[in-house]
Amino acid sequence: MLHTDVVESDPSIYVTRRRRLQQLCEGRKGTAWTENILVYRNMSYGVVAKAGCTFWIRVFRFLHNDTMGRILDNPFQMTRTEAHGGPRKIKMYRLQNEEDRRVVMATTRFMVARNPFTRLFSAYIDKLYLPDYWSSAGKTIVSRREIVSSISLRCGHDVSFAEFLEHVVRVGEHNAVSLNGHWRPIEHSCNPCAFKPDIVATQETFSRDSRYILERFGLGHLLHNHSHTDHVQDELTILTDWNYHPRDECLTRKQLAGRLWKTFQINGYLTPGSEVLLEAEFSETLTRDKLKQLMFRSYRDAMLTKQKSSAQRRSYLRQAYASVPRDILDRVVRLFRNDFLYFDYDSSIDSLLRK
């Protein structure tokens, strides 16, 4: 999330993060497994899903002029579909390949970490509360219910957060690498002990860290004229365009619009209670463009402060985890123990539920 009022980065924080990793990785053999690494000149980025990867994939594709034939003024004119899909000229490097490894290790490397608790909740909202993975992971998860309705089996649209986490730990305990990249532990997507990042950014300090990285490589101009409001409008547009394809046999148009609205409340963009605007303006002919207009109008009319937005996100996170049985939470902590350790996140469930 980018803000124009970002304080200047203190380089010492990046030294501290790097040294912590170096100390923890010392003596650990660790696999050289990496999912994808992007390289541009003398910098490389270890891709981690659900940790700002759309932002950085856009940046790297823009720098490589890999924009599907479109002429863009900045990376943020690229849609999510264009960033992640379609023909790609840009090469994805992997440390498993010896030549790729030689290239990558000669660059200045960075990656983005994220608190496993928030990363998992974000993955659930983005992929299973919204329709993106209903037909794949959604159907798989609901099929394990003792009693399952025909509509659930057909649509995969009603997975609970507890069911999602149970799926993650059940599959991950058997073979963590086989987990979908959006909820696979970071150590099994871009192992930091193998990748050896020179800079560790975090989702929690994404604005500051992204600016620091880009300015370090002389690319700070890419953020010119990209305000927090621009970012919010971009997020509203990306998720609505990607997900607002009503399928009445699963959810009505109104229910789907309501889930999108709720998603932006969970993300701290729209205020609690703002859904009354959707209720008042909804019709069965509500288009994507009209829905986006309503959401952005609601955002502009009642902009949350950074502090209130953060508090609102924490509240939704706490409510979600409070609904999950403790034994599943304990298994989540064990499965993601190295992500908590490497990137200095608090793994205490009690602290999570008190926040």
Side-chain angles (χ1 to χ4, degrees):
M1 177 184 309
L2 292 173
H3 301 269
T4 54
D5 57 346
V6 179
V7 296
E8 185 176 350
S9 297
D10 178 2
S12 66
I13 187 64
Y14 306 109
V15 174
T16 300
R17 291 172 183 172
R18 185 178 72 249
R19 285 179 177 168
R20 176 184 177 83
L21 260 184
Q22 289 172 339
Q23 291 169 359
L24 289 169
C25 290
E26 188 174 356
R28 292 190 178 216
K29 293 184 178 180
T31 66
W33 180 267
T34 58
E35 187 70 9
N36 290 304
I37 299 170
L38 296 175
V39 176
Y40 177 73
R41 295 182 179 173
N42 64 330
M43 71 172 177
S44 60
Y45 160 57
V47 179
V48 174
K50 298 309 300 174
C53 70
T54 298
F55 173 93
W56 283 111
I57 290 171
R58 282 166 150 180
V59 167
F60 274 81
R61 291 194 72 163
F62 178 80
L63 292 172
H64 280 277
N65 197 28
D66 185 13
T67 57
M68 300 177 68
R70 293 180 61 205
I71 299 174
L72 307 179
D73 295 323
N74 63 68
F76 313 108
Q77 293 175 333
M78 193 179 302
T79 67
R80 177 175 177 170
T81 303
E82 290 169 337
H84 291 283
R88 180 187 290 129
K89 294 188 298 183
I90 188 171
K91 175 180 169 64
M92 290 287 191
Y93 291 76
R94 299 191 172 194
L95 295 185
Q96 297 91 297
N97 179 287
E98 190 59 37
E99 178 59 21
D100 285 2
R101 183 179 182 82
R102 185 190 64 78
V103 171
V104 169
M105 300 312 286
T107 66
T108 298
R109 301 169 299 282
F110 73 93
M111 65 186 297
V112 183
R114 187 174 189 177
N115 186 311
F117 290 135
T118 60
R119 182 168 172 253
L120 285 166
F121 185 47
S122 178
Y124 167 73
I125 294 297
D126 196 28
K127 301 301 179 185
L128 289 163
Y129 182 69
L130 294 179
D132 199 9
Y133 282 13
W134 286 358
S135 62
S136 53
K139 289 183 179 181
T140 298
I141 293 170
V142 300
S143 69
R144 291 185 58 83
R145 294 174 182 167
E146 290 185 10
I147 301 175
V148 58
S149 68
S150 60
I151 187 173
S152 293
L153 282 174
R154 185 168 67 251
C155 297
H157 67 302
D158 59 352
V159 174
S160 71
F161 186 50
E163 287 177 314
F164 165 68
L165 289 184
E166 194 281 330
H167 167 78
V168 170
V169 295
R170 178 175 50 80
V171 175
E173 287 166 351
H174 176 68
N175 182 5
V177 174
S178 71
L179 283 167
N180 182 283
H182 294 87
W183 47 83
R184 183 189 306 142
I186 292 175
E187 67 165 323
H188 297 299
S189 288
C190 184
N191 187 305
C193 295
F195 184 59
K196 300 178 181 178
D198 300 286
I199 304 169
V200 177
T202 74
Q203 185 72 20
E204 295 75 21
T205 53
F206 193 80
S207 303
R208 181 187 69 191
D209 296 346
S210 299
R211 190 174 298 275
Y212 171 79
I213 292 166
L214 289 171
E215 289 180 348
R216 174 164 172 169
F217 290 101
L219 298 168
H221 62 278
L222 295 180
L223 295 180
H224 291 173
N225 303 317
H226 189 66
S227 67
H228 178 56
T229 300
D230 292 331
H231 166 76
V232 172
Q233 187 167 16
D234 186 44
E235 286 287 296
L236 295 177
T237 298
I238 284 174
L239 282 181
T240 305
D241 286 349
W242 190 269
N243 290 287
Y244 191 63
H245 303 283
R247 296 166 53 195
D248 288 341
E249 73 274 18
C250 298
L251 285 186
T252 66
R253 184 177 297 263
K254 187 173 185 178
Q255 289 171 325
L256 182 54
R259 285 203 184 189
L260 278 161
W261 200 282
K262 182 76 169 184
T263 294
F264 296 124
Q265 291 174 320
I266 290 169
N267 289 343
Y269 301 144
L270 302 181
T271 59
S274 62
E275 64 274 13
V276 296
L277 177 61
L278 176 62
E279 291 281 345
E281 298 283 345
F282 179 80
S283 74
E284 288 301 329
T285 58
L286 183 69
T287 64
R288 280 197 301 274
D289 287 343
K290 177 63 175 177
L291 178 57
K292 288 184 289 187
Q293 289 170 11
L294 287 175
M295 290 190 291
F296 199 61
R297 174 177 144 197
S298 178
Y299 167 73
R300 286 196 317 266
D301 289 349
M303 284 190 182
L304 289 162
T305 64
K306 187 176 180 181
Q307 291 73 23
K308 287 184 177 179
S309 176
S310 178
Q312 185 169 304
R313 291 196 303 272
R314 288 196 303 271
S315 177
Y316 280 114
L317 181 75
R318 183 175 63 250
Q319 291 173 41
Y321 276 95
S323 71
V324 180
R326 184 62 180 245
D327 67 303
I328 294 178
L329 296 182
D330 289 336
R331 292 164 69 191
V332 166
V333 170
R334 287 195 295 272
L335 180 62
F336 287 81
R337 60 188 177 277
N338 282 339
D339 284 5
F340 284 109
L341 179 66
Y342 288 147
F343 305 111
D344 199 18
Y345 288 115
D346 184 1
S347 63
S348 167
I349 297 168
D350 291 335
S351 295
L352 170 70
L353 298 179
R354 283 198 304 267
K355 287 179 180 177

